[in-house]
Amino acid sequence: MQPPARRRALPALLPLLTCSLALALASEDVKKEITRSKNLEKSGISRNNDIVLDLKGIVFVIQSQSNSFHAKRAEQLKRSILKQAADLTQELPSVLLLHELSKQEGAWTILPLLPHFSVTYSRNSSWIFFCEEETRIQVPELLEVLRRYDPSKEWFLGKALHDEESTIIHHYAFSENPTVFKYPDFAAGWALSIPLVNKLTKRLKSEPLKSDFTIDLKHEVALYIWDKGDGPPLTPVPELCTDGEDTHCATAFHSFLPLCGSPVKKEDIFVAVKTCKKFHGDRIPIVKQTWAGQASRIEYYSDYAESSIPTVDLGIPNTDRGHCGKTFAILERFLNHSHDKIAWLVIVDDDTLISISRLRHLLSCYDSGDPVFLGERYGYGLGTGGYSYVTGGGGMVFSREAIRRLLASKCRCYSNDAPDDMVLGMCFSGLGISVTHSPLFHQARPVDYPGDYLAHHVPVSFHKHWNIDPVEVYATWLAPRVEDKARPVTQKGFKDEL
């Protein structure tokens, strides 16, 4: 037992001990704060929002398309940005529509336009902010976010995606650890500081872009900027969002199945399935078990007529590589032998999984009287001319007018085994008919895309049965369900969403 004097001394010491402990903790907090401030200063991120930036310093670039539906949506977003700027009583920023910036076929790949941005905006601007036509932007919040970053430094900002496993659409890049490389989700918006734009412009002048394939633009842009470690990696910005449920978000992405009036009737869509004898027994049963029942008009085109399916022999031998001869025979048959009233043709592979019900909603936003060539857009040689094309595995959608103009031209396959999707892209490019891109079509399997990316999609198609259960994939991703309600697209849509 303690002596009475020591027991009386302990309560007297407690306030002193508490005070000392508090001072020690406070000292630790101050040290942490000083360290954090130094790190922020070193990185170029401002903690006090003391960077002067007004809206005039931001150039907004909407990744728009020339098709009337998409151009109208982009115009609505442009008006929303300018109205918000006016409400802030600030000088209005530049808001550009990508499809109006250049007649160059590859303008949608962004990199060829960087020299234009450098020359035009480097003197009076700090940022180029890119977004998609369905990106929703809270302009005041975005301004506050960008004020955190020193605009005299090289910045590449966005919502970070990464591959969960190495994938063919990225040429199996970073196969040892696919999660290590981050690339932006364009739907959330992404930004380049002007110093980085200027640096990339110098590189483009000294090293012209390779004449190669453009498959997944967001990944390829990030690779080019990173430049094997000589350029900046993507800096993740939590306020650039796609779900829009968090109050801290400066951007959001409203993914929906658009509906512009009534869905297209089943009878107005003709579905052509490309197959061959060796796949009659395993792939065609999966087509019939999953999505074929949604199609009112469907035919299976093969190198062998089999009445039990039935298949139609087009008289074109099967080829192991491309299927250009078969595809052009299908186009000729549709235009010259099918009913004139059928507005749309969809050509798919026998291992394509597709939702016809969702496609009917999507097509309500396009005019079959226009030359429409719709699907997932790829590119070839766009750094040096080249052309865009709809990749075949995800499904190629044609309006009757597009087919009429194509077949009226002299553009044809250079061989039966030429890649049909690329030849079609080359032909339509020569005719001045642009590919209309929809991210709802997918050339690969769900596992080939980041989960965060697919989370804000209402997919129309996937492709390939390799290492998956196609029936399960269809049931999970594409089968009709109650929540598959399309949202009407109206002029008032933007005001209601903001």
Side-chain angles (χ1 to χ4, degrees), residues 389-415:
Y389 62 98
V390 170
T391 180
M396 299 182 288
V397 182
F398 308 79
S399 66
R400 177 173 286 274
E401 177 61 15
I403 298 171
R404 188 193 67 76
R405 294 193 193 186
L406 172 67
L407 296 183
S409 74
K410 294 182 180 179
C411 194
R412 293 293 187 274
C413 307
Y414 52 84
S415 66

Side-chain angles (χ1 to χ4, degrees), residues 15 30 52 104 120 152 233 319 333 354 384 399:
V30 169
V52 177
Q104 182 182 346
T120 310
S152 68
T319 53
R333 181 181 173 92
I354 191 167
T384 55
S399 66

Side-chain angles (χ1 to χ4, degrees), residues 30-322:
V30 169
K31 287 179 183 176
K32 288 179 181 177
E33 188 65 19
I34 290 170
T35 303
R36 180 171 173 270
S37 295
K38 286 181 178 178
N39 290 338
L40 287 170
E41 186 178 343
K42 191 182 293 184
S43 69
I45 301 176
S46 167
R47 60 187 294 276
N48 292 318
N49 286 356
D50 52 3
I51 292 172
V52 177
L53 174 68
D54 59 24
L55 280 175
K56 193 65 178 172
I58 307 173
V59 178
F60 291 87
V61 180
I62 302 172
Q63 294 171 244
S64 57
Q65 301 187 69
S66 60
N67 174 273
S68 59
F69 167 65
H70 294 280
K72 193 176 296 182
R73 295 295 287 169
E75 283 285 357
Q76 289 173 334
L77 176 55
K78 178 179 179 177
R79 287 197 296 271
S80 168
I81 294 169
L82 293 175
K83 182 182 184 304
Q84 291 184 70
D87 290 343
L88 291 172
T89 64
Q90 291 205 18
E91 193 173 352
L92 298 182
S94 296
V95 183
L96 312 175
L97 303 188
L98 192 64
H99 77 277
E100 294 178 350
L101 288 179
S102 173
K103 298 295 183 185
Q104 182 182 346
E105 176 77 32
W108 63 271
T109 62
I110 308 293
L111 294 176
L113 293 179
L114 293 184
H116 167 73
F117 295 142
S118 177
V119 169
T120 310
Y121 300 107
S122 62
R123 179 170 295 181
N124 298 315
S125 301
S126 299
W127 296 94
I128 309 290
F129 184 81
F130 299 90
C131 60
E132 296 190 345
E133 66 195 39
E134 299 300 338
T135 306
R136 298 294 167 264
I137 302 172
Q138 301 290 348
V139 172
E141 286 81 354
L142 179 63
L143 193 56
E144 289 304 310
V145 168
L146 292 179
R147 281 176 179 157
R148 291 207 308 263
Y149 300 88
D150 183 350
S152 68
K153 297 182 181 294
E154 295 172 3
W155 289 106
F156 175 28
L157 309 178
K159 177 190 174 183
L161 297 173
H162 66 265
D163 292 339
E164 284 138 25
E165 56 182 70
S166 60
T167 171
I168 189 171
I169 61 174
H170 297 155
H171 305 292
Y172 299 106
F174 306 96
S175 56
E176 291 184 2
N177 183 9
T179 64
V180 72
F181 184 72
K182 306 297 190 290
Y183 53 98
D185 190 334
F186 283 175
W190 55 291
L192 302 178
S193 63
I194 288 295
L196 179 55
V197 171
N198 293 339
K199 176 186 177 180
L200 294 171
T201 296
K202 286 181 182 178
R203 182 178 162 204
L204 285 164
K205 287 178 180 177
S206 61
E207 304 171 26
L209 289 168
K210 293 179 181 178
S211 179
D212 206 348
F213 288 93
T214 301
I215 294 175
D216 184 6
L217 181 64
K218 54 190 179 295
H219 191 269
E220 288 150 27
V221 164
L223 274 176
Y224 187 85
I225 292 171
W226 177 63
D227 192 21
K228 298 179 181 177
D230 289 337
L234 179 72
T235 297
V237 178
E239 293 86 356
L240 298 181
C241 313
T242 50
D243 54 23
E245 293 179 2
D246 292 331
T247 55
H248 74 280
C249 290
T251 64
F253 184 80
H254 290 269
S255 178
F256 61 94
L257 203 54
L259 181 62
C260 308
S262 301
V264 169
K265 294 178 181 177
K266 284 197 288 188
E267 294 76 18
D268 287 334
I269 301 175
F270 189 95
V271 183
V273 181
K274 293 184 300 180
T275 188
C276 60
K277 184 178 181 181
K278 67 179 179 179
F279 293 132
H280 287 186
D282 56 352
R283 293 186 179 178
I284 299 303
I286 290 171
V287 172
K288 293 191 172 188
Q289 184 181 348
T290 54
W291 60 266
Q294 297 178 34
S296 174
R297 302 172 184 272
I298 183 170
E299 285 189 347
Y300 301 87
Y301 296 106
S302 182
D303 56 344
Y304 177 76
E306 189 166 327
S307 58
S308 61
I309 294 175
T311 58
V312 176
D313 182 1
L314 292 169
I316 307 291
N318 186 54
T319 53
D320 290 330
R321 296 188 299 166

Side-chain angles (χ1 to χ4, degrees), residues 330-343:
I330 291 170
L331 295 171
E332 295 269 7
R333 181 181 173 92
F334 174 80
L335 193 66
N336 299 320
H337 302 291
S338 68
H339 301 292
D340 289 342
K341 292 182 180 178
I342 302 179

